[in-house]
């Protein structure tokens, strides 16, 4: 129930972030909420995905599942979106290498599943995933083609989720008594409230810096306007921030069955289909 509840909470954040995206250009309140959400919501989704992934040696069965679970749905949805944009916007290009809107995460999951068995062979897989995430920002030629830059950017969170299962932290979290649980959740509220306060106070600075684009983990540091040696340190700091916020977020997720637990099992449908609801609203102004 805990993980289904977490999935539901994550997908609520995803839909909310996508719904207010157009308002962020004119509204500081919308941008504040957007920055609050984007600091950790996709890292949290990657952690959940990693927790349920296995690093078994790749075989025919595993590769077939990557194709049927991620690649085939991506091709189908990418085709549908190409037709929709041709009909509405007059775009006549079908480019499977550039994912439409939300579809990048499907390709990222496929990349994660293929890469994980090889990362697991290394001595410190989480460290190397973090090095890759920070280092890819210095490479301007690694871009959003097939979501490669973004997949590498959030790879540490996926590997972290996989490692959490081995460390048994979630089992210890489930075993906490009422007193420790209450104290931990109070601390989690303080952390999230602190981040919200930082965003509200510094929203103008964050707007000028275009911080929201840093949370995408998609562009090189040069494209983000910071072609400096210390740009990687900023991404490392954002990764650390996301881990802390994700921990606080998961601490507040109910461990028992709730009214929305069943919805958490259907998040992939919401992830793929909510954009069709938001698209006409976004395009109509």
């Amino acid at each position: 129930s805990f993980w289904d509840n977490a999935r539901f909470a994550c997908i609520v954040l995803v839909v909310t972030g996508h719904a207010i995206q157009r308002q962020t250009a004119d509204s500081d309140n919308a941008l504040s909420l957007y920055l609050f959400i984007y600091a950790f919501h996709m890292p949290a989704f990657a952690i959940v995905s990693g927790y349920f992934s296995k690093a078994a040696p790749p075989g025919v069965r595993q590769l077939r599942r990557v194709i049927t679970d991620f690649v085939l749905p991506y091709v189908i949805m990418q085709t549908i979106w190409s037709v929709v944009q041709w009909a509405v916007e007059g775009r006549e290009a079908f480019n499977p290498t550039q994912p439409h809107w939300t579809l990048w995460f499907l390709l990222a999951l496929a990349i994660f599943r293929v890469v994980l068995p090889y990362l697991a062979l290394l001595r410190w897989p989480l460290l190397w995933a973090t090095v890759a995430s920070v280092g890819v920002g210095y490479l301007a030629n690694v871009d959003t083609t097939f979501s490669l830059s973004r997949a590498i950017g959030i790879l540490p969170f996926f590997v972290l989720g996989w490692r959490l299962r081995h460390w048994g932290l979630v089992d210890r979290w489930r075993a906490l008594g009422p007193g420790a649980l209450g104290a931990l959740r109070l601390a989690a509220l303080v952390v999230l409230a602190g981040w919200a306060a930082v965003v509200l106070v510094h929203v103008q600075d964050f707007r000028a810096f275009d911080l929201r684009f840093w949370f995408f983990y998609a562009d090189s540091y040069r494209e983000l306007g910071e072609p400096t040696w210390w740009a990687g340190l900023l991404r490392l700091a954002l990764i650390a921030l996301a881990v802390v916020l994700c921990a606080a977020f998961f601490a507040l997720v109910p461990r028992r069955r709730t009214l929305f637990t069943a919805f958490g099992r259907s998040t992939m449908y919401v992830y793929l289909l909510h954009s069709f609801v938001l698209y006409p609203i976004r395009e109509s102004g």
Side-chain angles (χ1 to χ4, degrees):
S1 296
F2 168 75
W3 288 111
D4 287 335
N5 293 337
R7 288 191 186 98
F8 176 80
C10 285
I11 201 64
V12 168
L13 294 178
V14 168
V15 174
T16 302
H18 289 161
I20 66 173
Q21 186 174 4
R22 287 294 176 90
Q23 281 71 47
T24 59
D26 303 315
S27 168
D28 285 347
N29 290 332
L31 181 61
S32 297
L33 179 58
Y34 191 85
L35 292 174
F36 176 83
I37 291 173
Y38 269 72
F40 69 92
H41 80 311
M42 288 315 299
F45 241 136
I47 289 173
V48 174
S49 302
Y51 188 85
F52 291 98
S53 298
K54 297 179 180 179
V60 175
R61 185 171 179 270
Q62 287 82 357
L63 292 177
R64 184 182 293 120
R65 287 206 61 182
V66 169
I67 293 173
T68 57
D69 291 356
F70 305 116
V71 177
L72 185 58
Y74 169 76
V75 172
I76 293 173
M77 298 302 295
Q78 181 80 350
T79 303
I80 292 174
W81 265 113
S82 296
V83 172
V84 168
Q85 290 189 319
W86 168 76
V88 176
E89 303 175 43
R91 297 189 191 180
E92 298 183 1
F94 172 71
N95 187 356
T97 70
Q98 294 294 329
H100 287 291
W101 201 358
T102 63
L103 299 182
W104 69 270
F105 194 58
L106 278 179
L107 288 183
L109 288 175
I111 293 171
F112 294 158
R113 292 289 181 87
V114 172
V115 169
L116 183 60
Y118 301 99
L119 265 178
L121 297 176
L122 302 177
R123 187 172 182 180
W124 301 296
L126 183 56
L127 173 62
W128 290 114
T130 304
V131 169
S133 176
V134 172
V136 74
Y138 291 104
L139 307 176
N141 61 333
V142 181
D143 55 19
T144 56
T145 303
F146 288 119
S147 297
L148 187 59
S149 60
R150 203 165 187 182
I152 298 175
I154 67 169
L155 179 61
F157 306 108
F158 180 83
V159 176
L160 174 61
W162 170 68
R163 292 300 294 166
L164 285 177
R165 195 181 190 102
H166 295 268
W167 293 336
L169 290 180
V170 178
D171 295 330
R172 278 180 266 174
W173 155 247
R174 290 196 187 108
L176 284 180
L181 179 63
L184 192 61
R185 284 182 167 164
L186 179 60
L189 282 173
V190 171
V191 169
L192 291 174
W195 171 238
V198 169
V199 170
L200 286 169
V201 171
H202 297 284
V203 63
Q204 291 293 343
D205 298 326
F206 291 160
R207 182 187 294 278
F209 186 69
D210 282 334
L211 181 63
R212 69 190 185 99
F213 295 108
W214 286 79
F215 289 141
F216 294 162
Y217 295 91
D219 298 318
S220 69
Y221 305 138
R222 181 176 297 277
E223 290 174 318
L224 290 168
E226 297 295 338
T228 56
W229 66 268
W230 52 261
L233 297 178
L234 178 54
R235 173 166 288 189
L236 186 62
L238 294 179
I239 291 173
L241 172 66
V243 170
V244 172
L245 294 177
C246 284
F249 168 74
F250 286 126
L252 295 176
V253 172
R255 300 183 298 179
R256 58 180 176 79
R257 184 175 180 83
T258 65
L259 292 174
F260 49 79
T261 300
F263 293 110
R265 300 171 193 153
S266 304
T267 53
M268 183 61 80
Y269 298 104
V270 180
Y271 193 84
L272 292 177
L273 299 178
H274 78 279
S275 52
F276 288 100
V277 178
L278 295 180
Y279 179 72
I281 301 175
R282 286 164 56 103
E283 292 304 312
S284 65

